Amino acid sequence: MNFFKIKYLEYFQLSIILLLPFLLITGPFLTDLSVSISGIILIIFFIRLKNKIYFKNINIIFLFIFWYIFILFSSLNSDNILLSLESSLFYFRFGFLFLVIYFCCSNYDNFIKLFVLILCLCFIILFVDSCIQYLTNYNILGWQTISHGRISSFFKDELIMGSYVSRLIPTLIGLFLISFYKNKSFKKVLFITIMVFFSNILVILSGERAALFNIIAFNIFALIFSKSLRSIFLVNSLLFLVIGLSVIFSENSIKDRLYKQTLENFNIFQNQNSQNDEISEVNNQKYIFSSIHQSTYLSALDMFKNNVLIGVGPKNYRVVCQNDEYIHHFKEHGNQCLSHPHNTYMQLLAETGIIGFLFVLTIFFIITFKLSKYIFIYSLSKSSDNLILESKGFLLFAIFLTLFPFIPTGNFFNNWLSCLYFIPIGFLLYVSYKEKN
């Protein structure tokens, strides 16, 4: 392959990764396609330019290979092999994703700056469109709001805008610090203040409760951790509190979704007028997030008890939960179980057993330890600003949110979510390498 063809492939791969924030908005198909194509191009580079491609942190590759082989083994030992392999067989493409990002960061000087600008453009477009949809019930493409109190913008019938924003904003801040914030100016301070403000409002409008938790946790972390941006997050936290509460309590649909429905799901509102002791006892029962969530968690735990080591296989919860030994948990829900347990660790217990559960939980503990160390050693010290360390902290926090155990989550093996999970890993590897050098 001659020099010009290699260059064309490089530019094509670079374009695909830079467009990833836009492609994520379109849905899983183009996102997955772009990840697969960029992985294939990287393989070509490894074959043709093996003397010019270096990857310093080999341990992360070994960890990913172990995880991939394990979930593949779990699928092959499951009762529904073909269904399970849909999630595990081509999972290696996400390993290529973080390698491609690392490769682009290492080889293209302006890659991080361009990625930041494109991600900011996505946030701006979503903010403008969401405001229009909130005010008129239609977005600029004529797509109507599909759920009471929840704005979806260009995600159309997928109510995941809050997840998109809350998972990417820590990465955006981390990359902004090492690409634009070296020479601090009023324009840059104003720009990042607006981006954080937009992200806060977008999450509120989305009506996603897990995303609301994520964005609140992000603002608190940034206030404590970041020396260089603390004043920005203090202003935004106050705006978030004032505007957020104003929107929530002035707009009944959003208030019902984020406040009243949450209390109802936990069964905080009790039926005080019930005359039947048995009914009253049922009505007074408290749930973990909601009745359906609790039923799902109980069935996942039972599934784990019967498949302790390697679980029932990725993507197999949806089938196995229909068995008589598990379906009784869903008696109140018409004997219809969900497609996945809606919690990362419950899903890992059920589908990958104790081995998969402990593998991911160990990574979460390591990240938590590192973040705690950064907070106590850096944030609470009198040392000067360290933009690389702060960038690394925000990228670690993006992964921390992904692996946080105590909130409802999407399918851990979902293609769209997996892409969001692995994006900060590629940037973190590059920033870590840059910190050492």
Side-chain angles (χ1 to χ4, degrees):
M1 187 174 295
N2 61 41
F3 171 79
F4 292 105
K5 289 183 178 179
I6 288 289
K7 275 296 176 186
Y8 287 141
L9 282 178
E10 285 184 5
Y11 292 140
F12 184 56
Q13 182 186 59
L14 184 64
S15 301
I16 289 175
I17 299 301
L18 287 174
L19 288 174
L20 204 51
F22 278 116
L23 297 177
L24 281 163
I25 295 174
T26 69
F29 175 73
L30 290 178
T31 302
D32 211 21
L33 182 63
S34 66
V35 170
S36 301
I37 293 174
S38 62
I40 293 171
I41 295 174
L42 187 65
I43 293 173
I44 294 172
F45 288 166
F46 275 132
I47 295 171
R48 304 295 300 182
L49 305 173
K50 53 188 175 183
N51 295 327
K52 297 182 181 180
I53 296 180
Y54 305 98
F55 187 73
K56 302 295 181 182
N57 195 336
I58 199 70
N59 293 331
I60 189 70
I61 296 179
F62 286 136
L63 283 174
F64 182 83
I65 290 173
F66 168 80
W67 176 246
Y68 172 68
I69 292 174
F70 170 72
I71 61 173
L72 196 61
F73 178 77
S74 178
S75 293
L76 293 173
N77 282 272
S78 67
D79 292 333
N80 304 278
I81 295 176
L82 293 179
L83 177 65
S84 187
L85 285 175
E86 289 179 10
S87 288
S88 61
L89 184 59
F90 296 105
Y91 192 83
F92 62 84
R93 66 192 183 278
F94 299 112
F96 284 123
L97 174 59
F98 71 75
L99 289 176
V100 168
I101 290 174
Y102 177 88
F103 174 78
C104 290
C105 291
S106 303
N107 290 275
Y108 307 109
D109 293 337
N110 293 319
F111 171 73
I112 294 180
K113 285 186 177 181
L114 290 171
F115 191 89
V116 168
L117 290 174
I118 289 172
L119 188 51
C120 287
L121 182 60
C122 289
F123 277 25
I124 293 169
I125 292 172
L126 284 174
F127 180 79
V128 172
D129 188 66
S130 295
C131 289
I132 293 171
Q133 191 172 42
Y134 172 72
L135 294 171
T136 67
N137 211 33
Y138 293 88
N139 82 332
I140 59 176
L141 295 180
W143 297 343
Q144 189 174 9
T145 305
I146 64 166
S147 180
H148 187 62
R150 304 187 69 177
I151 301 299
S152 60
S153 185
F154 294 110
F155 292 92
K156 203 175 181 180
D157 56 349
E158 295 288 339
L159 300 171
I160 53 177
M161 181 177 70
S163 179
Y164 172 89
V165 172
S166 65
R167 293 182 187 280
L168 284 176
I169 186 63
T171 301
L172 172 61
I173 299 301
L175 298 180
F176 181 85
L177 283 170
I178 60 168
S179 58
F180 285 101
Y181 212 64
K182 294 175 184 177
N183 300 314
K184 192 174 179 180
S185 68
F186 174 75
K187 288 182 179 180
K188 292 176 182 178
V189 171
L190 180 62
F191 181 75
I192 202 63
T193 302
I194 292 172
M195 287 302 105
V196 175
F197 173 75
F198 281 2
S199 67
N200 290 336
I201 300 302
L202 283 170
V203 169
I204 293 173
L205 293 178
S206 74
E208 291 180 57
R209 290 168 290 185
L212 182 62
F213 170 85
N214 286 345
I215 205 72
I216 291 173
F218 165 70
N219 279 281
I220 294 172
F221 169 77
L223 268 173
I224 297 171
F225 173 67
S226 178
K227 292 182 179 182
S228 60
L229 300 176
R230 189 165 290 156
S231 58
I232 291 175
F233 280 98
L234 180 60
V235 172
N236 267 290
S237 295
L238 293 173
L239 287 173
F240 179 60
L241 190 63
V242 173
I243 297 175
L245 289 175
S246 299
V247 171
I248 290 172
F249 287 100
S250 64
E251 182 61 47
N252 288 332
S253 58
I254 297 178
K255 177 184 176 182
D256 289 346
R257 168 68 185 171
L258 294 178
Y259 175 68
K260 186 177 179 181
Q261 188 177 332
T262 300
L263 295 180
E264 288 176 346
N265 286 343
F266 277 98
N267 207 18
I268 301 297
F269 293 144
Q270 300 174 5
N271 188 349
Q272 302 293 336
N273 300 319
S274 177
Q275 302 298 316
N276 186 300
D277 290 340
E278 184 177 346
I279 293 175
S280 180
E281 184 178 346
V282 172
N283 287 340
N284 290 337
Q285 180 183 351
K286 301 298 182 292
Y287 298 119
I288 303 174
F289 300 119
S290 70
S291 174
I292 187 65
H293 280 95
Q294 182 159 303
S295 298
T296 304
Y297 297 159
L298 291 173
S299 65
L301 287 173
D302 283 350
M303 215 173 285
F304 163 68
K305 292 174 185 176
N306 295 328
N307 304 271
V308 175
L309 280 180
I310 60 172
V312 298
K315 205 176 181 178
N316 273 335
Y317 172 86
R318 67 189 66 196
V319 176
V320 180
C321 69
Q322 299 289 344
N323 295 349
D324 293 339
E325 54 192 318
Y326 308 117
I327 199 65
H328 67 90
H329 289 294
F330 299 91
K331 191 178 297 183
E332 296 180 11
H333 308 286
N335 290 329
Q336 294 292 320
C337 62
L338 303 178
S339 59
H340 60 88
H342 286 267
N343 177 273
T344 293
Y345 294 92
M346 288 296 177
Q347 182 177 1
L348 290 171
L349 281 172
E351 296 188 344
T352 66
I354 194 67
I355 296 176
F357 171 82
L358 289 178
F359 179 82
V360 175
L361 186 63
T362 301
I363 294 174
F364 174 75
F365 281 144
I366 292 171
I367 290 171
T368 303
F369 173 76
K370 286 191 174 185
L371 283 175
S372 303
K373 183 179 175 182
Y374 285 168
I375 289 172
F376 284 106
I377 293 178
Y378 170 68
S379 303
L380 302 180
S381 70
K382 295 181 179 180
S383 61
S384 59
D385 298 355
N386 185 332
L387 295 183
I388 292 181
L389 191 145
E390 287 194 26
S391 173
K392 190 176 178 181
F394 278 107
L395 293 168
L396 277 170
F397 190 75
I399 304 170
F400 173 86
L401 286 180
T402 292
L403 301 180
F404 189 74
F406 303 118
I407 56 173
T409 60
N411 183 352
F412 185 76
F413 296 102
N414 175 271
N415 297 344
W416 187 85
L417 273 177
S418 293
C419 188
L420 282 176
Y421 293 169
F422 280 92
I423 284 175
I425 295 176
F427 289 113
L428 177 62
L429 292 173
Y430 174 73
V431 173
S432 299
Y433 167 73
K434 191 171 181 178
E435 182 186 32
K436 291 178 182 178
N437 292 273

